[in-house]
mmCIF file of all heavy atoms in Angstrom:
data_model
loop_
_atom_site.group_PDB
_atom_site.id
_atom_site.type_symbol
_atom_site.label_atom_id
_atom_site.label_comp_id
_atom_site.label_asym_id
_atom_site.label_seq_id
_atom_site.Cartn_x
_atom_site.Cartn_y
_atom_site.Cartn_z
ATOM 1 N N ILE A 4 87.605 -36.231 -36.269
ATOM 2 C CA ILE A 4 88.279 -34.972 -35.958
ATOM 3 C C ILE A 4 88.511 -34.866 -34.458
ATOM 4 O O ILE A 4 89.598 -34.548 -34.002
ATOM 5 C CB ILE A 4 87.466 -33.769 -36.477
ATOM 6 C CG1 ILE A 4 87.493 -33.739 -38.005
ATOM 7 C CG2 ILE A 4 87.983 -32.460 -35.894
ATOM 8 C CD1 ILE A 4 86.551 -32.734 -38.617
ATOM 9 N N ARG A 5 87.479 -35.165 -33.682
ATOM 10 C CA ARG A 5 87.578 -35.092 -32.226
ATOM 11 C C ARG A 5 88.659 -36.034 -31.700
ATOM 12 O O ARG A 5 89.385 -35.706 -30.761
ATOM 13 C CB ARG A 5 86.225 -35.432 -31.608
ATOM 14 C CG ARG A 5 86.061 -34.957 -30.202
ATOM 15 C CD ARG A 5 84.643 -35.169 -29.698
ATOM 16 N NE ARG A 5 83.810 -34.020 -30.055
ATOM 17 C CZ ARG A 5 82.838 -34.041 -30.956
ATOM 18 N NH1 ARG A 5 82.528 -35.136 -31.603
ATOM 19 N NH2 ARG A 5 82.138 -32.950 -31.220
ATOM 20 N N ALA A 6 88.787 -37.203 -32.311
ATOM 21 C CA ALA A 6 89.724 -38.222 -31.826
ATOM 22 C C ALA A 6 91.165 -37.996 -32.280
ATOM 23 O O ALA A 6 92.088 -38.403 -31.583
ATOM 24 C CB ALA A 6 89.264 -39.601 -32.292
ATOM 25 N N THR A 7 91.360 -37.345 -33.431
ATOM 26 C CA THR A 7 92.715 -37.321 -33.987
ATOM 27 C C THR A 7 93.322 -35.946 -34.230
ATOM 28 O O THR A 7 94.528 -35.850 -34.376
ATOM 29 C CB THR A 7 92.749 -38.091 -35.332
ATOM 30 O OG1 THR A 7 91.845 -37.476 -36.256
ATOM 31 C CG2 THR A 7 92.383 -39.556 -35.137
ATOM 32 N N TRP A 8 92.526 -34.894 -34.270
ATOM 33 C CA TRP A 8 93.074 -33.573 -34.563
ATOM 34 C C TRP A 8 93.442 -32.856 -33.275
ATOM 35 O O TRP A 8 92.864 -33.090 -32.222
ATOM 36 C CB TRP A 8 92.068 -32.727 -35.333
ATOM 37 C CG TRP A 8 91.802 -33.188 -36.732
ATOM 38 C CD1 TRP A 8 92.042 -34.414 -37.257
ATOM 39 C CD2 TRP A 8 91.219 -32.429 -37.782
ATOM 40 N NE1 TRP A 8 91.647 -34.460 -38.559
ATOM 41 C CE2 TRP A 8 91.134 -33.262 -38.913
ATOM 42 C CE3 TRP A 8 90.740 -31.127 -37.874
ATOM 43 C CZ2 TRP A 8 90.611 -32.814 -40.120
ATOM 44 C CZ3 TRP A 8 90.216 -30.696 -39.079
ATOM 45 C CH2 TRP A 8 90.161 -31.530 -40.192
ATOM 46 N N GLY A 9 94.383 -31.937 -33.366
ATOM 47 C CA GLY A 9 94.788 -31.131 -32.220
ATOM 48 C C GLY A 9 93.881 -29.923 -32.051
ATOM 49 O O GLY A 9 92.755 -29.882 -32.554
ATOM 50 N N GLY A 10 94.362 -28.898 -31.377
ATOM 51 C CA GLY A 10 93.579 -27.702 -31.093
ATOM 52 C C GLY A 10 93.332 -26.815 -32.289
ATOM 53 O O GLY A 10 92.364 -26.070 -32.320
ATOM 54 N N THR A 11 94.220 -26.889 -33.272
ATOM 55 C CA THR A 11 94.018 -26.140 -34.506
ATOM 56 C C THR A 11 94.253 -27.062 -35.689
ATOM 57 O O THR A 11 94.888 -28.104 -35.567
ATOM 58 C CB THR A 11 94.958 -24.924 -34.629
ATOM 59 O OG1 THR A 11 96.305 -25.376 -34.692
ATOM 60 C CG2 THR A 11 94.761 -23.951 -33.477
ATOM 61 N N ALA A 12 93.733 -26.640 -36.840
ATOM 62 C CA ALA A 12 93.879 -27.422 -38.063
ATOM 63 C C ALA A 12 94.292 -26.493 -39.191
ATOM 64 O O ALA A 12 94.111 -25.276 -39.116
ATOM 65 C CB ALA A 12 92.553 -28.097 -38.412
ATOM 66 N N SER A 13 94.819 -27.076 -40.233
ATOM 67 C CA SER A 13 95.163 -26.281 -41.408
ATOM 68 C C SER A 13 93.887 -25.850 -42.124
ATOM 69 O O SER A 13 92.833 -26.476 -41.987
ATOM 70 C CB SER A 13 96.037 -27.101 -42.362
ATOM 71 O OG SER A 13 95.287 -28.165 -42.912
ATOM 72 N N VAL A 14 93.993 -24.792 -42.882
ATOM 73 C CA VAL A 14 92.856 -24.333 -43.685
ATOM 74 C C VAL A 14 92.478 -25.416 -44.687
ATOM 75 O O VAL A 14 91.294 -25.638 -44.950
ATOM 76 C CB VAL A 14 93.189 -22.998 -44.388
ATOM 77 C CG1 VAL A 14 92.093 -22.594 -45.359
ATOM 78 C CG2 VAL A 14 93.419 -21.905 -43.365
ATOM 79 N N GLU A 15 93.480 -26.117 -45.220
ATOM 80 C CA GLU A 15 93.215 -27.181 -46.185
ATOM 81 C C GLU A 15 92.334 -28.271 -45.587
ATOM 82 O O GLU A 15 91.329 -28.676 -46.184
ATOM 83 C CB GLU A 15 94.519 -27.818 -46.684
ATOM 84 C CG GLU A 15 95.367 -26.901 -47.513
ATOM 85 C CD GLU A 15 96.400 -26.134 -46.694
ATOM 86 O OE1 GLU A 15 96.315 -26.133 -45.438
ATOM 87 O OE2 GLU A 15 97.280 -25.525 -47.299
ATOM 88 N N ASP A 16 92.700 -28.756 -44.400
ATOM 89 C CA ASP A 16 91.926 -29.819 -43.756
ATOM 90 C C ASP A 16 90.531 -29.346 -43.355
ATOM 91 O O ASP A 16 89.541 -30.047 -43.549
ATOM 92 C CB ASP A 16 92.661 -30.369 -42.535
ATOM 93 C CG ASP A 16 93.817 -31.282 -42.910
ATOM 94 O OD1 ASP A 16 93.818 -31.822 -44.036
ATOM 95 O OD2 ASP A 16 94.707 -31.465 -42.057
ATOM 96 N N ALA A 17 90.453 -28.153 -42.796
ATOM 97 C CA ALA A 17 89.145 -27.626 -42.384
ATOM 98 C C ALA A 17 88.240 -27.424 -43.599
ATOM 99 O O ALA A 17 87.048 -27.730 -43.550
ATOM 100 C CB ALA A 17 89.321 -26.314 -41.622
ATOM 101 N N SER A 18 88.810 -26.932 -44.688
ATOM 102 C CA SER A 18 88.031 -26.749 -45.907
ATOM 103 C C SER A 18 87.508 -28.075 -46.419
ATOM 104 O O SER A 18 86.341 -28.190 -46.817
ATOM 105 C CB SER A 18 88.880 -26.074 -46.989
ATOM 106 O OG SER A 18 89.252 -24.783 -46.593
ATOM 107 N N ARG A 19 88.350 -29.080 -46.413
ATOM 108 C CA ARG A 19 87.926 -30.402 -46.871
ATOM 109 C C ARG A 19 86.805 -30.946 -45.979
ATOM 110 O O ARG A 19 85.842 -31.525 -46.465
ATOM 111 C CB ARG A 19 89.107 -31.353 -46.881
ATOM 112 C CG ARG A 19 88.734 -32.693 -47.489
ATOM 113 C CD ARG A 19 89.915 -33.503 -47.865
ATOM 114 N NE ARG A 19 90.622 -32.820 -48.936
ATOM 115 C CZ ARG A 19 91.845 -33.134 -49.317
ATOM 116 N NH1 ARG A 19 92.480 -34.110 -48.739
ATOM 117 N NH2 ARG A 19 92.440 -32.480 -50.285
ATOM 118 N N ALA A 20 86.917 -30.737 -44.674
ATOM 119 C CA ALA A 20 85.876 -31.206 -43.757
ATOM 120 C C ALA A 20 84.549 -30.497 -44.026
ATOM 121 O O ALA A 20 83.484 -31.089 -43.876
ATOM 122 C CB ALA A 20 86.306 -30.979 -42.306
ATOM 123 N N LEU A 21 84.625 -29.240 -44.446
ATOM 124 C CA LEU A 21 83.416 -28.464 -44.731
ATOM 125 C C LEU A 21 82.901 -28.681 -46.148
ATOM 126 O O LEU A 21 81.808 -28.236 -46.486
ATOM 127 C CB LEU A 21 83.686 -26.972 -44.498
ATOM 128 C CG LEU A 21 83.913 -26.602 -43.032
ATOM 129 C CD1 LEU A 21 84.509 -25.205 -42.923
ATOM 130 C CD2 LEU A 21 82.609 -26.690 -42.263
ATOM 131 N N GLY A 22 83.709 -29.340 -46.977
ATOM 132 C CA GLY A 22 83.254 -29.696 -48.316
ATOM 133 C C GLY A 22 83.581 -28.708 -49.416
ATOM 134 O O GLY A 22 82.929 -28.708 -50.451
ATOM 135 N N PHE A 23 84.568 -27.861 -49.206
ATOM 136 C CA PHE A 23 84.979 -27.000 -50.297
ATOM 137 C C PHE A 23 86.480 -27.043 -50.485
ATOM 138 O O PHE A 23 87.213 -27.630 -49.691
ATOM 139 C CB PHE A 23 84.458 -25.556 -50.176
ATOM 140 C CG PHE A 23 84.586 -24.917 -48.820
ATOM 141 C CD1 PHE A 23 85.758 -24.321 -48.431
ATOM 142 C CD2 PHE A 23 83.508 -24.876 -47.959
ATOM 143 C CE1 PHE A 23 85.879 -23.708 -47.199
ATOM 144 C CE2 PHE A 23 83.619 -24.273 -46.718
ATOM 145 C CZ PHE A 23 84.795 -23.685 -46.340
ATOM 146 N N SER A 24 86.954 -26.432 -51.564
ATOM 147 C CA SER A 24 88.360 -26.542 -51.962
ATOM 148 C C SER A 24 89.279 -25.711 -51.075
ATOM 149 O O SER A 24 88.844 -24.797 -50.371
ATOM 150 C CB SER A 24 88.527 -26.092 -53.411
ATOM 151 O OG SER A 24 88.382 -24.685 -53.515
ATOM 152 N N ARG A 25 90.552 -26.044 -51.165
ATOM 153 C CA ARG A 25 91.593 -25.318 -50.448
ATOM 154 C C ARG A 25 91.581 -23.853 -50.861
ATOM 155 O O ARG A 25 91.661 -22.955 -50.016
ATOM 156 C CB ARG A 25 92.927 -25.975 -50.782
ATOM 157 C CG ARG A 25 94.138 -25.259 -50.306
ATOM 158 C CD ARG A 25 95.395 -25.965 -50.879
ATOM 159 N NE ARG A 25 96.587 -25.279 -50.502
ATOM 160 C CZ ARG A 25 97.103 -24.246 -51.182
ATOM 161 N NH1 ARG A 25 96.525 -23.815 -52.272
ATOM 162 N NH2 ARG A 25 98.197 -23.665 -50.763
ATOM 163 N N ALA A 26 91.487 -23.586 -52.173
ATOM 164 C CA ALA A 26 91.496 -22.206 -52.671
ATOM 165 C C ALA A 26 90.312 -21.415 -52.115
ATOM 166 O O ALA A 26 90.473 -20.263 -51.693
ATOM 167 C CB ALA A 26 91.470 -22.202 -54.200
ATOM 168 N N LYS A 27 89.145 -22.016 -52.107
ATOM 169 C CA LYS A 27 87.955 -21.357 -51.565
ATOM 170 C C LYS A 27 88.138 -21.086 -50.073
ATOM 171 O O LYS A 27 87.783 -20.017 -49.571
ATOM 172 C CB LYS A 27 86.712 -22.231 -51.798
ATOM 173 C CG LYS A 27 85.435 -21.662 -51.251
ATOM 174 C CD LYS A 27 84.981 -20.468 -52.024
ATOM 175 C CE LYS A 27 83.603 -20.038 -51.563
ATOM 176 N NZ LYS A 27 83.153 -18.843 -52.266
ATOM 177 N N GLY A 28 88.726 -22.043 -49.359
ATOM 178 C CA GLY A 28 88.969 -21.868 -47.935
ATOM 179 C C GLY A 28 89.889 -20.697 -47.639
ATOM 180 O O GLY A 28 89.610 -19.866 -46.774
ATOM 181 N N TYR A 29 90.999 -20.604 -48.379
ATOM 182 C CA TYR A 29 91.918 -19.488 -48.174
ATOM 183 C C TYR A 29 91.286 -18.160 -48.575
ATOM 184 O O TYR A 29 91.518 -17.143 -47.925
ATOM 185 C CB TYR A 29 93.232 -19.710 -48.926
ATOM 186 C CG TYR A 29 94.204 -20.539 -48.134
ATOM 187 C CD1 TYR A 29 94.510 -21.837 -48.509
ATOM 188 C CD2 TYR A 29 94.815 -20.028 -46.989
ATOM 189 C CE1 TYR A 29 95.405 -22.605 -47.779
ATOM 190 C CE2 TYR A 29 95.705 -20.778 -46.243
ATOM 191 C CZ TYR A 29 95.996 -22.068 -46.647
ATOM 192 O OH TYR A 29 96.870 -22.817 -45.911
ATOM 193 N N ASP A 30 90.473 -18.170 -49.617
ATOM 194 C CA ASP A 30 89.791 -16.947 -50.029
ATOM 195 C C ASP A 30 88.827 -16.475 -48.937
ATOM 196 O O ASP A 30 88.810 -15.291 -48.579
ATOM 197 C CB ASP A 30 89.045 -17.179 -51.341
ATOM 198 C CG ASP A 30 88.399 -15.909 -51.862
ATOM 199 O OD1 ASP A 30 89.094 -14.867 -51.931
ATOM 200 O OD2 ASP A 30 87.201 -15.959 -52.203
ATOM 201 N N LEU A 31 88.053 -17.396 -48.383
ATOM 202 C CA LEU A 31 87.124 -17.037 -47.299
ATOM 203 C C LEU A 31 87.877 -16.554 -46.062
ATOM 204 O O LEU A 31 87.459 -15.583 -45.413
ATOM 205 C CB LEU A 31 86.239 -18.233 -46.948
ATOM 206 C CG LEU A 31 85.211 -18.633 -48.000
ATOM 207 C CD1 LEU A 31 84.534 -19.940 -47.590
ATOM 208 C CD2 LEU A 31 84.182 -17.541 -48.213
ATOM 209 N N ALA A 32 88.982 -17.215 -45.723
ATOM 210 C CA ALA A 32 89.776 -16.810 -44.553
ATOM 211 C C ALA A 32 90.356 -15.414 -44.763
ATOM 212 O O ALA A 32 90.332 -14.579 -43.853
ATOM 213 C CB ALA A 32 90.884 -17.820 -44.297
ATOM 214 N N ARG A 33 90.834 -15.143 -45.955
ATOM 215 C CA ARG A 33 91.411 -13.835 -46.264
ATOM 216 C C ARG A 33 90.369 -12.732 -46.124
ATOM 217 O O ARG A 33 90.654 -11.648 -45.618
ATOM 218 C CB ARG A 33 91.969 -13.840 -47.693
ATOM 219 C CG ARG A 33 92.597 -12.531 -48.126
ATOM 220 C CD ARG A 33 93.072 -12.565 -49.573
ATOM 221 N NE ARG A 33 92.049 -12.987 -50.520
ATOM 222 C CZ ARG A 33 91.068 -12.201 -50.982
ATOM 223 N NH1 ARG A 33 90.967 -10.960 -50.578
ATOM 224 N NH2 ARG A 33 90.193 -12.670 -51.851
ATOM 225 N N ARG A 34 89.129 -13.005 -46.528
ATOM 226 C CA ARG A 34 88.053 -12.017 -46.443
ATOM 227 C C ARG A 34 87.392 -11.977 -45.063
ATOM 228 O O ARG A 34 86.485 -11.187 -44.837
ATOM 229 C CB ARG A 34 86.997 -12.311 -47.510
ATOM 230 C CG ARG A 34 87.509 -12.069 -48.917
ATOM 231 C CD ARG A 34 86.426 -12.214 -49.941
ATOM 232 N NE ARG A 34 86.093 -13.631 -50.109
ATOM 233 C CZ ARG A 34 84.903 -14.085 -50.487
ATOM 234 N NH1 ARG A 34 83.925 -13.257 -50.731
ATOM 235 N NH2 ARG A 34 84.693 -15.366 -50.630
ATOM 236 N N GLY A 35 87.794 -12.858 -44.144
ATOM 237 C CA GLY A 35 87.181 -12.902 -42.818
ATOM 238 C C GLY A 35 85.824 -13.565 -42.824
ATOM 239 O O GLY A 35 85.012 -13.320 -41.940
ATOM 240 N N GLU A 36 85.560 -14.418 -43.818
ATOM 241 C CA GLU A 36 84.257 -15.059 -43.951
ATOM 242 C C GLU A 36 84.317 -16.579 -43.831
ATOM 243 O O GLU A 36 83.334 -17.256 -44.154
ATOM 244 C CB GLU A 36 83.648 -14.679 -45.303
ATOM 245 C CG GLU A 36 83.375 -13.205 -45.429
ATOM 246 C CD GLU A 36 82.875 -12.814 -46.805
ATOM 247 O OE1 GLU A 36 82.709 -13.703 -47.665
ATOM 248 O OE2 GLU A 36 82.663 -11.621 -47.022
ATOM 249 N N PHE A 37 85.431 -17.123 -43.369
ATOM 250 C CA PHE A 37 85.512 -18.568 -43.171
ATOM 251 C C PHE A 37 84.481 -18.930 -42.107
ATOM 252 O O PHE A 37 84.340 -18.220 -41.114
ATOM 253 C CB PHE A 37 86.923 -18.961 -42.716
ATOM 254 C CG PHE A 37 87.224 -20.408 -42.909
ATOM 255 C CD1 PHE A 37 87.648 -20.883 -44.129
ATOM 256 C CD2 PHE A 37 87.058 -21.307 -41.869
ATOM 257 C CE1 PHE A 37 87.929 -22.230 -44.319
ATOM 258 C CE2 PHE A 37 87.326 -22.646 -42.036
ATOM 259 C CZ PHE A 37 87.768 -23.117 -43.267
ATOM 260 N N PRO A 38 83.725 -20.010 -42.288
ATOM 261 C CA PRO A 38 82.616 -20.296 -41.362
ATOM 262 C C PRO A 38 83.037 -20.688 -39.945
ATOM 263 O O PRO A 38 82.187 -20.882 -39.093
ATOM 264 C CB PRO A 38 81.854 -21.436 -42.040
ATOM 265 C CG PRO A 38 82.730 -21.947 -43.101
ATOM 266 C CD PRO A 38 83.736 -20.904 -43.415
ATOM 267 N N CYS A 39 84.336 -20.778 -39.688
ATOM 268 C CA CYS A 39 84.842 -21.126 -38.350
ATOM 269 C C CYS A 39 85.806 -20.035 -37.889
ATOM 270 O O CYS A 39 86.253 -19.210 -38.661
ATOM 271 C CB CYS A 39 85.622 -22.444 -38.402
ATOM 272 S SG CYS A 39 84.736 -23.785 -39.153
ATOM 273 N N ARG A 40 86.142 -20.099 -36.621
ATOM 274 C CA ARG A 40 87.123 -19.167 -36.066
ATOM 275 C C ARG A 40 88.497 -19.465 -36.663
ATOM 276 O O ARG A 40 88.898 -20.617 -36.749
ATOM 277 C CB ARG A 40 87.188 -19.292 -34.550
ATOM 278 C CG ARG A 40 85.850 -19.161 -33.841
ATOM 279 C CD ARG A 40 85.405 -17.784 -33.592
ATOM 280 N NE ARG A 40 86.379 -17.126 -32.733
ATOM 281 C CZ ARG A 40 86.453 -15.826 -32.597
ATOM 282 N NH1 ARG A 40 85.631 -15.058 -33.239
ATOM 283 N NH2 ARG A 40 87.343 -15.283 -31.821
ATOM 284 N N VAL A 41 89.196 -18.414 -37.076
ATOM 285 C CA VAL A 41 90.502 -18.546 -37.715
ATOM 286 C C VAL A 41 91.522 -17.718 -36.944
ATOM 287 O O VAL A 41 91.232 -16.606 -36.513
ATOM 288 C CB VAL A 41 90.434 -18.054 -39.178
ATOM 289 C CG1 VAL A 41 91.806 -18.039 -39.825
ATOM 290 C CG2 VAL A 41 89.476 -18.913 -39.989
ATOM 291 N N LEU A 42 92.703 -18.285 -36.765
ATOM 292 C CA LEU A 42 93.814 -17.570 -36.134
ATOM 293 C C LEU A 42 94.841 -17.235 -37.193
ATOM 294 O O LEU A 42 95.211 -18.094 -37.994
ATOM 295 C CB LEU A 42 94.497 -18.448 -35.082
ATOM 296 C CG LEU A 42 93.724 -18.806 -33.840
ATOM 297 C CD1 LEU A 42 94.541 -19.798 -33.012
ATOM 298 C CD2 LEU A 42 93.441 -17.574 -33.026
ATOM 299 N N ARG A 43 95.304 -16.009 -37.179
ATOM 300 C CA ARG A 43 96.411 -15.627 -38.056
ATOM 301 C C ARG A 43 97.608 -15.353 -37.165
ATOM 302 O O ARG A 43 97.577 -14.451 -36.332
ATOM 303 C CB ARG A 43 96.037 -14.404 -38.875
ATOM 304 C CG ARG A 43 95.030 -14.718 -39.941
ATOM 305 C CD ARG A 43 94.769 -13.505 -40.830
ATOM 306 N NE ARG A 43 93.766 -13.811 -41.815
ATOM 307 C CZ ARG A 43 92.465 -13.728 -41.633
ATOM 308 N NH1 ARG A 43 91.994 -13.351 -40.471
ATOM 309 N NH2 ARG A 43 91.621 -14.019 -42.600
#
């Protein structure tokens, strides 16, 4: 991630890195509970 990703990542990629599904990632982001900082 450090070597190849830019300053921001998609929710899909971040969710995969954290080990959960895209749907779960978007649900957490929508509720403000994604474990990382999110920009809308």
Side-chain angles (χ1 to χ4, degrees):
I4 291 171
R5 200 173 273 110
T7 60
W8 291 20
T11 64
S13 67
V14 173
E15 293 92 348
D16 284 338
S18 296
R19 186 164 294 166
L21 292 166
F23 45 84
S24 72
R25 171 187 177 274
K27 179 70 172 178
Y29 275 109
D30 184 49
L31 291 173
R33 180 183 53 79
R34 292 186 287 152
E36 297 175 2
F37 198 83
C39 308
R40 307 277 299 163
V41 174
L42 293 174
R43 288 185 182 85

